[in-house]
C-alpha cells in the first residue's frame, strides 16, 4: 500500500518474495488383499486363496491452470494505464517524463519518484482518502484503492510479488482433477469403485475472496492511523496472501513432511517484509492489516482434510479399519475462532472508520509501527502546501512550512500545475 501526501506524492514500494514450490498430496492407492477365488475342476469345486494381480491403472492428472491471479495482474495494469490517461501530464503539468508517451507520460520525478500520476489523478480514480470516506460517505474507496498504484515501480513491485505468492496458492488450492481407471482379477467378482475427479476442497475463487478481504483489512487499518494523506496499492492484499500461507501451514501441520524448515523459512520472509515497512513513505499499517486479515482467513479457507480420512474414503469397504474424522479437532477450533475474530474485527474497524476515529489519539507509540525515525530520514508525514500570488502570467509560490519561494511564468495555469510546482518546490 502506498501512502500519498497531498499535494505531493509519497509512495511506498515494497518488494516481497514468496515461497517457491509446495507439498504435493498424492492420491492414496487401494491396497490389494487376499480374496477367495473359485476355479472349476472336474468333479466339483475347488476353493483357494490367492493374491490378485497388481492393478493395471491408467491415471490422468490435470494440473490446475492459474487464471484468477493473472487476471488480477492484468486488471491492475489496465487500471494503471487508465489512470495515466486521466492524469494527462502534458496538459496538467509544466514538465513531464517520457513525453513521447503523450497523455501517458509521467509526472516530474521530483513530484512522483515512482514514475506515475499526480495525487489529484489518483483521487479521481478512487484512492483511499479518509476525509472523503467519512465526510462524503465514499466507503467504496476502501476497495478501489487496492487496484490503483502510484507509479510504474510501485506497480511492478506489487505485481511480481502477487504472481510469486498468488499463483502458488491458486495452484495448490484450485481444482485439480485425478482420474483412475483400474482393472484387475477383482473385476470378475466385485464392482471396484473408480476415482474420478479427485479435487481439492477449495477453488481458486476462495483465493480471490481471501485477496479482497485482506485488501479491505489493510485499507481499514491504514484509514484508522494514516488520515492526512491518500493511499493506494495492492500491498495489503499481497501481505494477506503471505499471512494465509502461514496459517495454512499451521492448520495443516500434520500433512507437511519438513514442518520446521517450512515454518522457519516462511517466518523469516514475513519478518523481513514487515521490517521494510518501518522505512519512511511506506504504509506499514496496510501491510499489518492485510497480513492479520489474511492470516485469520487462511484458517477458514485453506483447511485440508487429514490423510486418514482421504485414505478411508477411497479404500474398499472390507479394508477400512475404522472411521476417521475429516478434520482434526484443532483444525475445527482454529476455524471457529478465526471466523469470529475476522468478522468482529472487520465490522468494528469499518464502524470506527466511518465514525472518523483516529487511533493515534489512543496509541501514542503506534506510529512507530509504520516508520521509525533515524538520523538518515524523517518520519514527518505532514502534507506540504503553498501560498500562491499571481500577477498576470507570473506566479509566486511560497512553501507554508519553510518559507521557500519560487517564481514561475505560466499561461492559463490550472490547479494541477500549481500543485505539482508546489510539490517540487517544497520537497
Amino acid at each position: 500500500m502506498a501512502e500519498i501526501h497531498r499535494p505531493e506524492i509519497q509512495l511506498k514500494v515494497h518488494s516481497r518474495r514468496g515461497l517457491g514450490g509446495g507439498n504435493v498430496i498424492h492420491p492414496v492407492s487401494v491396497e490389494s488383499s487376499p480374496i477367495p477365488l473359485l476355479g472349476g475342476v472336474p468333479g466339483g469345486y475347488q476353493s483357494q486363496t490367492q493374491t490378485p494381480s497388481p492393478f493395471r491403472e491408467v491415471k490422468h492428472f490435470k494440473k490446475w491452470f492459474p487464471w484468477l491471479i493473472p487476471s488480477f495482474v492484468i486488471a491492475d495494469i489496465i487500471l494503471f494505464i487508465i489512470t495515466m490517461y486521466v492524469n494527462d501530464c502534458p496538459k496538467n503539468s509544466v514538465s513531464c517524463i517520457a513525453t513521447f508517451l503523450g497523455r501517458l507520460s509521467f509526472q516530474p520525478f521530483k513530484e512522483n519518484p515512482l514514475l506515475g500520476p499526480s495525487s489529484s489523478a489518483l483521487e479521481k480514480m478512487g484512492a483511499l482518502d479518509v476525509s472523503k470516506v467519512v465526510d462524503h460517505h465514499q466507503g467504496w474507496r476502501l476497495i478501489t484503492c487496492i487496484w490503483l498504484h502510484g507509479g510504474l515501480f510501485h506497480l511492478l513491485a506489487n505485481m511480481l510479488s502477487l504472481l510469486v505468492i498468488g499463483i502458488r496458492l491458486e495452484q495448490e488450492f484450485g481444482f485439480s482433477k485425478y482420474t483412475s481407471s483400474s482393472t484387475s482379477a477383482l473385476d470378475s467378482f466385485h464392482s471396484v469403485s473408480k476415482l474420478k475427479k479427485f479435487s481439492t476442497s477449495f477453488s481458486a475463487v476462495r483465493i480471490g475472496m481471501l485477496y479482497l478481504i485482506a485488501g479491505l483489512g489493510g485499507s481499514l487499518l491504514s484509514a484508522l492511523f494514516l488520515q492526512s494523506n491518500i493511499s493506494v496499492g495492492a500491498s495489503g492484499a499481497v501481505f494477506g496472501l503471505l499471512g494465509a500461507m502461514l496459517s495454512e501451514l499451521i492448520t495443516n501441520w500434520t500433512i507437511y513432511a519438513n514442518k520446521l524448515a517450512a515454518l522457519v523459512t516462511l517466518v523469516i520472509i514475513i519478518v523481513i517484509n514487515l521490517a521494510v515497512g518501518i522505512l519512511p513513505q511506506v504504509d506499514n499499517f496496510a501491510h499489518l492489516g492485510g497480513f492479520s486479515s489474511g492470516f485469520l482467513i487462511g484458517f477458514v479457507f485453506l483447511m485440508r482434510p487429514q490423510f486418514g480420512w482421504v485414505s478411508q474414503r477411497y479404500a474398499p469397504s472390507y479394508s477400512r479399519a475404522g472411521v476417521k474424522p475429516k478434520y482434526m479437532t484443532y483444525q475445527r477450533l482454529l476455524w471457529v475462532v478465526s471466523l469470529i475474530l475476522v468478522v468482529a474485527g472487520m465490522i468494528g474497524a469499518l464502524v470506527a472508520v466511518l465514525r472518523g476515529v483516529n487511533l493515534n489519539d489512543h496509541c501514542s507509540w503506534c506510529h512507530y509501527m509504520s516508520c521509525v525515525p533515524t538520523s538518515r530520514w524523517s518520519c514527518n508525514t505532514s502534507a506540504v502546501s503553498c501560498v500562491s500570488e499571481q500577477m498576470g502570467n507570473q506566479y509566486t509560490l511560497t512553501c507554508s512550512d519553510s518559507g521557500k519561494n519560487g517564481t514561475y511564468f505560466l499561461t492559463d495555469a490550472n490547479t494541477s500545475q500549481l500543485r505539482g510546482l508546489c510539490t517540487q518546490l517544497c520537497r
Side-chain angles (χ1 to χ4, degrees), residues 313-328:
R313 184 180 182 185
Y314 295 107
S317 57
Y318 59 78
S319 66
R320 296 178 184 175
V323 179
K324 295 183 179 180
K326 184 176 183 179
Y327 299 108
M328 303 289 285

mmCIF file of all heavy atoms in Angstrom, residues 313-328:
data_model
loop_
_atom_site.group_PDB
_atom_site.id
_atom_site.type_symbol
_atom_site.label_atom_id
_atom_site.label_comp_id
_atom_site.label_asym_id
_atom_site.label_seq_id
_atom_site.Cartn_x
_atom_site.Cartn_y
_atom_site.Cartn_z
ATOM 1 N N ARG A 313 -11.701 -42.934 2.550
ATOM 2 C CA ARG A 313 -12.774 -42.582 1.628
ATOM 3 C C ARG A 313 -12.676 -43.370 0.327
ATOM 4 O O ARG A 313 -13.682 -43.743 -0.267
ATOM 5 C CB ARG A 313 -12.734 -41.076 1.332
ATOM 6 C CG ARG A 313 -13.869 -40.587 0.444
ATOM 7 C CD ARG A 313 -13.757 -39.085 0.197
ATOM 8 N NE ARG A 313 -14.861 -38.614 -0.617
ATOM 9 C CZ ARG A 313 -14.983 -37.381 -1.081
ATOM 10 N NH1 ARG A 313 -14.042 -36.487 -0.776
ATOM 11 N NH2 ARG A 313 -16.000 -37.027 -1.817
ATOM 12 N N TYR A 314 -11.438 -43.598 -0.126
ATOM 13 C CA TYR A 314 -11.249 -44.251 -1.405
ATOM 14 C C TYR A 314 -10.786 -45.706 -1.283
ATOM 15 O O TYR A 314 -10.548 -46.366 -2.278
ATOM 16 C CB TYR A 314 -10.247 -43.451 -2.246
ATOM 17 C CG TYR A 314 -10.777 -42.085 -2.597
ATOM 18 C CD1 TYR A 314 -10.256 -40.948 -1.981
ATOM 19 C CD2 TYR A 314 -11.796 -41.937 -3.520
ATOM 20 C CE1 TYR A 314 -10.760 -39.683 -2.288
ATOM 21 C CE2 TYR A 314 -12.304 -40.691 -3.837
ATOM 22 C CZ TYR A 314 -11.778 -39.567 -3.211
ATOM 23 O OH TYR A 314 -12.280 -38.328 -3.515
ATOM 24 N N ALA A 315 -10.645 -46.176 -0.055
ATOM 25 C CA ALA A 315 -10.279 -47.577 0.143
ATOM 26 C C ALA A 315 -11.522 -48.448 0.088
ATOM 27 O O ALA A 315 -12.629 -48.001 0.396
ATOM 28 C CB ALA A 315 -9.573 -47.736 1.494
ATOM 29 N N PRO A 316 -11.402 -49.727 -0.324
ATOM 30 C CA PRO A 316 -12.569 -50.629 -0.336
ATOM 31 C C PRO A 316 -13.083 -50.843 1.076
ATOM 32 O O PRO A 316 -12.326 -50.804 2.051
ATOM 33 C CB PRO A 316 -12.012 -51.923 -0.943
ATOM 34 C CG PRO A 316 -10.533 -51.848 -0.733
ATOM 35 C CD PRO A 316 -10.183 -50.397 -0.813
ATOM 36 N N SER A 317 -14.372 -51.096 1.182
ATOM 37 C CA SER A 317 -15.008 -51.178 2.492
ATOM 38 C C SER A 317 -14.436 -52.291 3.369
ATOM 39 O O SER A 317 -14.355 -52.135 4.584
ATOM 40 C CB SER A 317 -16.523 -51.392 2.320
ATOM 41 O OG SER A 317 -16.762 -52.566 1.556
ATOM 42 N N TYR A 318 -14.007 -53.408 2.770
ATOM 43 C CA TYR A 318 -13.524 -54.506 3.590
ATOM 44 C C TYR A 318 -12.171 -54.225 4.222
ATOM 45 O O TYR A 318 -11.748 -54.922 5.136
ATOM 46 C CB TYR A 318 -13.452 -55.798 2.772
ATOM 47 C CG TYR A 318 -12.549 -55.714 1.558
ATOM 48 C CD1 TYR A 318 -11.154 -55.803 1.676
ATOM 49 C CD2 TYR A 318 -13.101 -55.556 0.294
ATOM 50 C CE1 TYR A 318 -10.343 -55.723 0.562
ATOM 51 C CE2 TYR A 318 -12.288 -55.469 -0.827
ATOM 52 C CZ TYR A 318 -10.903 -55.565 -0.685
ATOM 53 O OH TYR A 318 -10.112 -55.492 -1.793
ATOM 54 N N SER A 319 -11.442 -53.155 3.730
ATOM 55 C CA SER A 319 -10.108 -52.875 4.272
ATOM 56 C C SER A 319 -10.097 -51.705 5.244
ATOM 57 O O SER A 319 -9.041 -51.320 5.722
ATOM 58 C CB SER A 319 -9.127 -52.583 3.126
ATOM 59 O OG SER A 319 -9.490 -51.376 2.464
ATOM 60 N N ARG A 320 -11.252 -51.124 5.529
ATOM 61 C CA ARG A 320 -11.311 -49.977 6.416
ATOM 62 C C ARG A 320 -11.240 -50.417 7.872
ATOM 63 O O ARG A 320 -12.089 -51.162 8.350
ATOM 64 C CB ARG A 320 -12.589 -49.171 6.183
ATOM 65 C CG ARG A 320 -12.645 -48.558 4.783
ATOM 66 C CD ARG A 320 -13.950 -47.803 4.550
ATOM 67 N NE ARG A 320 -14.016 -47.316 3.184
ATOM 68 C CZ ARG A 320 -15.078 -46.715 2.666
ATOM 69 N NH1 ARG A 320 -16.168 -46.528 3.414
ATOM 70 N NH2 ARG A 320 -15.046 -46.295 1.419
ATOM 71 N N ALA A 321 -10.223 -49.933 8.579
ATOM 72 C CA ALA A 321 -10.042 -50.346 9.973
ATOM 73 C C ALA A 321 -10.989 -49.606 10.905
ATOM 74 O O ALA A 321 -11.463 -50.150 11.882
ATOM 75 C CB ALA A 321 -8.591 -50.112 10.391
ATOM 76 N N GLY A 322 -11.256 -48.355 10.633
ATOM 77 C CA GLY A 322 -12.128 -47.571 11.497
ATOM 78 C C GLY A 322 -12.423 -46.229 10.861
ATOM 79 O O GLY A 322 -11.724 -45.775 9.959
ATOM 80 N N VAL A 323 -13.469 -45.602 11.326
ATOM 81 C CA VAL A 323 -13.874 -44.321 10.762
ATOM 82 C C VAL A 323 -13.042 -43.197 11.369
ATOM 83 O O VAL A 323 -12.934 -43.080 12.583
ATOM 84 C CB VAL A 323 -15.375 -44.072 11.031
ATOM 85 C CG1 VAL A 323 -15.785 -42.722 10.468
ATOM 86 C CG2 VAL A 323 -16.212 -45.183 10.420
ATOM 87 N N LYS A 324 -12.449 -42.375 10.501
ATOM 88 C CA LYS A 324 -11.646 -41.232 10.952
ATOM 89 C C LYS A 324 -12.339 -39.938 10.550
ATOM 90 O O LYS A 324 -12.922 -39.857 9.470
ATOM 91 C CB LYS A 324 -10.247 -41.294 10.341
ATOM 92 C CG LYS A 324 -9.428 -42.484 10.810
ATOM 93 C CD LYS A 324 -8.016 -42.444 10.233
ATOM 94 C CE LYS A 324 -7.196 -43.626 10.725
ATOM 95 N NZ LYS A 324 -5.815 -43.601 10.181
ATOM 96 N N PRO A 325 -12.292 -38.917 11.389
ATOM 97 C CA PRO A 325 -12.948 -37.655 11.065
ATOM 98 C C PRO A 325 -12.228 -36.954 9.915
ATOM 99 O O PRO A 325 -11.035 -37.145 9.690
ATOM 100 C CB PRO A 325 -12.826 -36.850 12.365
ATOM 101 C CG PRO A 325 -11.628 -37.410 13.048
ATOM 102 C CD PRO A 325 -11.623 -38.873 12.703
ATOM 103 N N LYS A 326 -12.976 -36.134 9.198
ATOM 104 C CA LYS A 326 -12.397 -35.413 8.064
ATOM 105 C C LYS A 326 -11.363 -34.398 8.514
ATOM 106 O O LYS A 326 -10.329 -34.218 7.871
ATOM 107 C CB LYS A 326 -13.514 -34.726 7.272
ATOM 108 C CG LYS A 326 -13.037 -34.029 6.012
ATOM 109 C CD LYS A 326 -14.215 -33.463 5.227
ATOM 110 C CE LYS A 326 -13.763 -32.818 3.926
ATOM 111 N NZ LYS A 326 -14.891 -32.282 3.145
ATOM 112 N N TYR A 327 -11.649 -33.691 9.614
ATOM 113 C CA TYR A 327 -10.744 -32.656 10.122
ATOM 114 C C TYR A 327 -10.373 -32.956 11.573
ATOM 115 O O TYR A 327 -11.166 -33.521 12.332
ATOM 116 C CB TYR A 327 -11.382 -31.268 10.032
ATOM 117 C CG TYR A 327 -11.726 -30.849 8.625
ATOM 118 C CD1 TYR A 327 -13.058 -30.790 8.207
ATOM 119 C CD2 TYR A 327 -10.735 -30.516 7.712
ATOM 120 C CE1 TYR A 327 -13.378 -30.414 6.908
ATOM 121 C CE2 TYR A 327 -11.043 -30.137 6.417
ATOM 122 C CZ TYR A 327 -12.376 -30.083 6.018
ATOM 123 O OH TYR A 327 -12.685 -29.709 4.738
ATOM 124 N N MET A 328 -9.175 -32.534 11.934
ATOM 125 C CA MET A 328 -8.720 -32.694 13.305
ATOM 126 C C MET A 328 -9.463 -31.706 14.203
ATOM 127 O O MET A 328 -9.968 -30.679 13.758
ATOM 128 C CB MET A 328 -7.216 -32.452 13.396
ATOM 129 C CG MET A 328 -6.381 -33.342 12.484
ATOM 130 S SD MET A 328 -6.352 -35.050 13.038
ATOM 131 C CE MET A 328 -5.237 -34.904 14.440
#
